[in-house]
Amino acid sequence: MTNLTDVATGQLYRIIAIKEQIETLQGQIDSLVAGGGMPSPFALKVPKKRRMSAAARARIAAGARARWAKVRAAGKTRL
């Protein structure tokens, strides 16, 4: 092993980064060996989209039409 007192600062930072990568990879290997590997993409549950009923869409549309009617009516009186 090299004497760390003879290594430049930039090299020390590079050594630390490599050691951290090694530790991360070692942790991934340990989790795979233990059986807790990455889940299969087919095993992931995709949340269902929320569906709106036709009645709810009709209520929202009616409210929007009423609001726009108010805006148009207010615009005509200002002229």
Side-chain angles (χ1 to χ4, degrees):
M1 180 152 182
T2 11
N3 189 359
L4 292 180
T5 56
D6 298 333
V7 178
T9 308
Q11 291 174 329
L12 277 176
Y13 285 126
R14 181 73 178 132
I15 291 170
I16 292 170
I18 291 172
K19 279 199 142 312
E20 288 175 353
Q21 288 176 351
I22 291 171
E23 290 171 3
T24 302
L25 292 172
Q26 188 62 50
Q28 291 177 5
I29 289 172
D30 292 342
S31 69
L32 286 173
V33 170
M38 307 262 300
S40 166
F42 300 107
L44 297 177
K45 219 175 180 186
V46 178
K48 291 185 178 181
K49 290 185 179 180
R50 293 182 182 180
R51 303 281 181 192
M52 193 179 305
S53 68
R57 282 195 304 269
R59 284 194 304 268
I60 291 172
R65 282 193 295 272
R67 283 190 297 277
W68 277 110
K70 248 188 219 182
V71 168
R72 287 188 199 106
K76 288 182 182 177
T77 57
R78 288 184 185 165
L79 294 175

